Amino acid sequence: MTLPAALRTSAASRYPLSRATTFRIGGPAALAVRPRTSDEVALALHVARTEGWTVRCVGMGSNLLVDDHGVDGLVLLMRGLRRIEFEGASVTCGAGVTNNQVLQATRARGLGGLECLVGYPGTLGGAVRMNAGGAPGYVGARVQWVKGIEPSGRVVYRDARDCGFRYRGSALSDLVVTEVRLLLPPADPEEYALRCASLRDRKKATQPLHLPSAGCVWKNPPGHPAAGRLVEEAGCKGLRAGGAEVSTLHANFIVNRGDATCADVLSLMEEVRSRVADRSGVLLEREVIHWHDAAVAV
Ligand SMILES: Cc1cc2nc3c(=O)[nH]c(=O)nc-3n(C[C@H](O)[C@H](O)[C@H](O)COP(=O)(O)OP(=O)(O)OC[C@H]3O[C@@H](n4cnc5c(N)ncnc54)[C@H](O)[C@@H]3O)c2cc1C
């Protein structure tokens, strides 16, 4: 089919998703489009509906493991939605605004409260979908509302209480998120900058940030030691499958040593899961999202 002119310039067929993920792994998307506005997202969804295509979104691809064969349908590359608008202590961001961009822009306005986004890649769309964060808190706690478009084309606003934020997830998987409004507390710029720098330094010292990865691959199992500790205790640090390796620095990371495939990562994860189950009786649950053709849309 012929794409509408507004989408044609930013569209690519057989777009290699290894370029859109921090793991640097993944086959092609049948069609990828890089919308710059909510209207372009709506237009792309309209085309997908008409053609019967599955739709998926990628922000920075920092929590994604894409199949070596790639995926059918349409992938929306969301980084183009970059608007940032302030209103008092609220900031409305396009879904493609990155963690770093929102941190810098809000800090310059004397706003804080986003320690939860420090020291790792991501966009705000991906952050709210995953309820990103950790020890310093979770982004869901700062959200006022999320604007998105349902596959049917209906534009919806969801208050934070209707977003279903939970550990490493939300109830936003039925939406293409286009905007996020955050409500932030004031912060002393210097003190806040120091706190953020210290969080960043701690991550640099304890995580393999110099190698491609998708961050932690396992969720922390409730009522048990952290997943990284369980993996380490099962003797998996440094374990390899092809080009994929359990990081020797942080056992919850799998790193791409240069030529890792999705199949390598999946086979390594199976081995780790089985060793951890044997050693501690805990069946680890995957945190990283695996895209393959049986995957649910968005
Ligand atoms: C080195 C490293 C460290 C990390 N540390 C942390 C950490 O401390 N805490 C943490 O929580 N995470 C961490 N992560 C994981 C990841 O960075 C976060 O989950 C991040 O918020 C994902 O954002 P993204 O834009 O990359 O999302 P993506 O990986 O692109 O997508 C993740 C999911 O969100 C969906 N999605 C993305 N954008 C949209 C949108 N606009 N609308 C609807 N759905 C969308 C995707 O379809 C996918 O299902 C780390 C990753 C790396 C590589």
Side-chain angles (χ1 to χ4, degrees):
M1 67 105 35
T2 314
L3 283 172
L7 299 180
R8 228 175 295 144
T9 49
S10 74
S13 52
R14 295 200 54 78
Y15 180 84
L17 288 168
S18 55
R19 279 198 212 147
T21 63
T22 55
F23 234 150
R24 300 275 166 248
I25 289 173
L31 181 67
V33 166
R34 191 183 296 275
R36 288 152 300 182
T37 61
S38 298
D39 285 350
E40 288 184 7
V41 173
L43 190 58
L45 289 175
H46 172 75
V47 173
R49 246 185 349 267
T50 312
E51 297 293 320
W53 294 334
T54 306
V55 179
R56 295 175 171 90
C57 293
V58 58
M60 208 172 257
S62 60
N63 207 36
L64 281 180
L65 174 62
V66 178
D67 199 80
D68 298 317
H69 300 292
V71 289
D72 282 339
L74 173 67
V75 171
L76 297 174
L77 306 169
M78 299 297 288
R79 299 268 307 267
L81 278 80
R82 287 196 292 240
R83 199 170 64 97
I84 301 185
E85 228 172 72
F86 286 91
E87 199 184 311
S90 291
V91 56
T92 306
C93 298
V97 171
T98 66
N99 293 358
N100 274 342
Q101 287 166 341
V102 69
L103 276 159
Q104 274 177 23
T106 54
R107 198 166 56 215
R109 296 272 179 143
L111 297 173
L114 288 178
E115 291 90 339
C116 55
L117 296 182
V118 169
Y120 60 94
T123 60
L124 269 181
V128 293
R129 164 73 172 79
M130 299 305 303
N131 191 21
Y138 293 90
V139 72
R142 301 296 179 202
V143 170
Q144 251 185 328
W145 50 252
V146 167
K147 180 183 174 189
I149 309 181
E150 293 175 343
S152 67
R154 196 166 73 104
V155 175
V156 294
Y157 285 84
R158 285 208 188 138
D159 279 343
R161 65 174 178 278
D162 299 323
C163 290
F165 292 120
R166 57 177 189 273
Y167 171 63
R168 294 292 184 260
S170 68
L172 296 168
S173 56
D174 59 333
L175 285 187
V176 175
V177 173
T178 53
E179 273 179 27
V180 178
R181 176 176 273 212
L182 305 168
L183 179 62
L184 301 174
D188 174 80
E190 274 180 34
E191 203 187 300
Y192 184 56
L194 280 176
R195 209 162 47 245
C196 291
S198 140
L199 285 166
R200 209 170 276 120
D201 288 348
R202 197 152 64 236
K203 284 192 186 265
K204 270 190 195 148
T206 57
Q207 299 181 355
L209 302 182
H210 56 297
L211 290 169
S213 80
C216 289
V217 291
W218 305 108
K219 292 182 184 175
N220 287 323
H224 293 280
R229 169 111 79 89
L230 295 175
V231 175
E232 185 169 353
E233 285 172 0
C236 297
K237 267 188 166 177
L239 202 64
R240 282 185 81 145
E245 180 185 271
V246 176
S247 166
T248 49
L249 191 58
H250 190 313
N252 201 349
F253 278 60
I254 287 181
V255 293
N256 178 355
R257 278 281 167 195
D259 56 355
T261 61
C262 178
D264 292 341
V265 175
L266 291 175
S267 111
L268 186 56
M269 288 182 77
E270 255 337 285
E271 179 63 25
V272 168
R273 199 205 303 256
S274 142
R275 288 194 190 196
V276 169
D278 287 349
R279 171 79 168 57
S280 62
V282 176
L283 203 56
L284 290 175
E285 193 188 334
R286 194 161 59 208
E287 173 178 328
V288 67
I289 293 175
H290 177 208
W291 275 6
H292 54 102
D293 261 334
V296 180
V298 185

